[in-house]
Amino acid sequence: MNYKHIPVMLNEALNYLDPQAGQYFIDCTLGGSGYTIEIAKKIGPKGKIIAIDLDKMAIDNAKFQISNFKFQNIILANENFKNITKITKKYFHKKKVDGIVLDLGLSSAQLADRNRGFSFQLDAPLNMSFGCQMSDFGCRTTEDIVNNWKQEKLEKIIREYGEERFAKRIARKIVECRELKSIKTTGRLVEIINQAVPDFYKNKKINCATKTFQALRIASNNELENLQTVLPQAVDLLAPAGRIVVISYHSLEDRIVKNFFRQESRDCLCPPNYPVCQCKHKRQFKILTRKIVRAGEEEVLNNPRSRSAKLRVAEKI
Ligand SMILES: C[S@@+](CC[C@H](N)C(=O)[O-])C[C@H]1O[C@@H](n2cnc3c(N)ncnc32)[C@H](O)[C@@H]1O
């Protein structure tokens, strides 16, 4: 199997997670198994790690990679990490975990897969789902979004998730074209985006379809909702002194993580004008990365994907 993905900020993530022999971990985003295998080596035969991925390709690749692995301490789960509590109960029962890692977004192998619709450079069916059987995982198809969502909604996601300045023009063009014929392939979508944006925008270093593709991928997979759903569950699953490491590649994801960590590191969440606390919220986290951690220069040179990565860590009190 030819699954290529270079793990981003692996050393930094491992330093923060600090896996020890016999400990229990969850890798919510298995991908090319980069983090999972390194953690599995450190926790040894008495430890266990659940490695989750929506993508069967990642799971099959991991099966192949660990077929000769010396310990049998990796449990693979072809699931959505938003179901982390259910998954953890199934394999670890009531046991709390020592660390959780999320390395969000998509892997290089998924982007390079000719049969998937993630890349604007390859013509493929318009399906940007991480899991292949979308209905099993509650994902929407990209084709459905592009052909059925109202123009305003399309514009909103292209602007917000893609940070695309020509969102209005792109959404308008999509609606205009789909009225003539359904849009079924990534190639057709790229043509439409090219028709929508002004000429100067087509000659930029970044392809003019990049941001729209990113927006549609985030919407197709409910990426922000999944992140919002998994974080509160992760707090409950961690043992005292257990750590959560999140690597994000998009400012909206990073904001969700930052705000959640801040909220969970405060005792009371009542509005400032309340004289007495009503919420009784107790802090559960100590934030270990007051400033976000970024990939070093050398890593960015060797793996350009790491340029946009932001790593944040919190520790359960
Ligand atoms: C950036 S890659 C992870 C790379 C991995 N850390 C490594 O070292 O190879 C992200 C992976 O997360 C998976 N993924 C994204 N959202 C998911 C979700 N909600 N549930 C499960 N897997 C998800 C993707 O399918 C992809 O394989």
Side-chain angles (χ1 to χ4, degrees):
M1 175 156 234
N2 193 17
Y3 189 110
K4 286 207 179 107
H5 180 84
I6 307 171
V8 170
M9 284 198 269
L10 178 62
N11 289 335
E12 289 84 346
L14 285 175
N15 281 342
Y16 276 111
L17 289 169
D18 192 23
Q20 302 290 325
Q23 289 189 327
Y24 280 48
F25 277 81
I26 307 172
D27 181 351
C28 291
T29 50
L30 167 72
S33 316
Y35 286 26
T36 293
I37 288 186
E38 288 311 311
I39 295 169
K41 283 182 194 161
K42 291 188 188 290
I43 58 178
K46 295 208 169 117
K48 278 202 182 337
I49 176 164
I50 302 176
I52 305 171
D53 207 295
L54 267 173
D55 193 354
K56 179 115 183 353
M57 178 167 78
I59 300 285
D60 288 344
N61 171 62
K63 280 185 191 154
F64 175 73
Q65 290 218 48
I66 63 179
S67 51
N68 291 323
F69 195 58
K70 53 185 171 178
F71 313 129
Q72 297 206 322
N73 56 2
I74 301 174
I75 299 160
L76 300 173
N78 189 198
E79 257 281 8
N80 191 319
F81 61 60
K82 73 174 182 184
N83 302 321
I84 190 172
T85 306
K86 188 187 88 187
I87 302 165
T88 311
K89 253 196 194 146
K90 178 169 172 191
Y91 296 110
F92 289 172
H93 311 289
K94 284 189 177 155
K95 185 145 179 45
K96 299 278 180 190
V97 302
D98 301 289
I100 297 177
V101 60
L102 291 112
D103 177 20
L104 300 166
L106 89 165
S107 69
S108 310
Q110 289 170 317
L111 186 65
D113 187 346
R114 303 206 138 264
N115 304 313
R116 319 278 285 264
F118 292 116
S119 170
F120 52 79
Q121 288 168 328
L122 303 168
D123 193 18
L126 202 45
N127 174 6
M128 300 187 192
S129 154
F130 290 144
C132 297
Q133 314 94 319
M134 283 146 311
S135 53
D136 294 352
F137 297 118
C139 300
R140 312 170 179 111
T141 67
T142 318
E143 194 181 314
D144 175 38
I145 294 175
V146 168
N147 288 293
N148 296 313
W149 279 19
K150 287 201 170 117
Q151 184 173 323
E152 298 71 38
K153 204 167 163 194
L154 276 175
E155 180 186 331
K156 188 170 187 290
I157 59 156
I158 297 173
R159 176 166 298 114
E160 286 179 11
Y161 298 175
E163 293 164 336
E164 169 58 72
R165 61 191 279 210
F166 294 111
K168 195 181 183 84
R169 293 166 74 140
I170 294 170
R172 196 193 304 135
K173 196 74 182 169
I174 288 175
V175 171
E176 204 180 293
C177 293
R178 78 187 186 194
E179 272 163 16
L180 302 173
K181 194 168 177 232
S182 298
I183 303 161
K184 291 196 171 291
T185 63
T186 51
R188 178 69 189 126
L189 183 61
V190 171
E191 277 169 20
I192 294 169
I193 297 168
N194 265 293
Q195 287 167 21
V197 300
D199 280 343
F200 82 88
Y201 201 56
K202 292 177 203 160
N203 305 321
K204 297 247 173 209
K205 217 162 94 188
I206 295 180
N207 188 292
C208 62
T210 309
K211 294 179 173 184
T212 304
F213 269 59
Q214 172 181 283
L216 289 170
R217 192 204 80 215
I218 293 175
S220 303
N221 293 288
N222 298 326
E223 288 179 45
L224 303 180
E225 294 87 341
N226 289 339
L227 181 59
Q228 267 156 341
T229 312
V230 74
L231 291 173
Q233 299 180 66
V235 179
D236 290 337
L237 292 169
L238 282 169
R243 291 179 176 179
I244 175 166
V245 171
V246 187
I247 298 121
S248 60
Y249 299 83
H250 189 285
S251 56
L252 290 178
E253 285 173 344
D254 182 56
R255 197 175 311 148
I256 292 172
V257 179
K258 180 177 78 180
N259 290 342
F260 183 77
F261 282 7
R262 275 196 188 151
Q263 171 191 302
E264 290 310 319
S265 62
R266 283 174 46 197
D267 261 343
C268 164
L269 304 176
C270 292
N273 59 343
Y274 280 30
V276 182
C277 171
Q278 310 272 316
C279 70
K280 309 274 186 280
H281 183 267
K282 287 271 163 265
R283 72 191 282 248
Q284 309 224 54
F285 269 169
K286 182 166 95 187
I287 298 175
L288 301 189
T289 46
R290 282 284 157 203
K291 268 178 72 184
I292 44 171
V293 179
R294 296 269 200 176
E297 259 176 55
E298 200 181 324
E299 179 170 2
V300 173
L301 271 178
N302 293 330
N303 183 10
R305 188 191 148 76
S306 63
R307 182 177 293 119
S308 56
K310 293 174 183 161
L311 182 148
R312 292 186 188 269
V313 188
E315 184 178 280
K316 178 90 176 263
I317 292 172

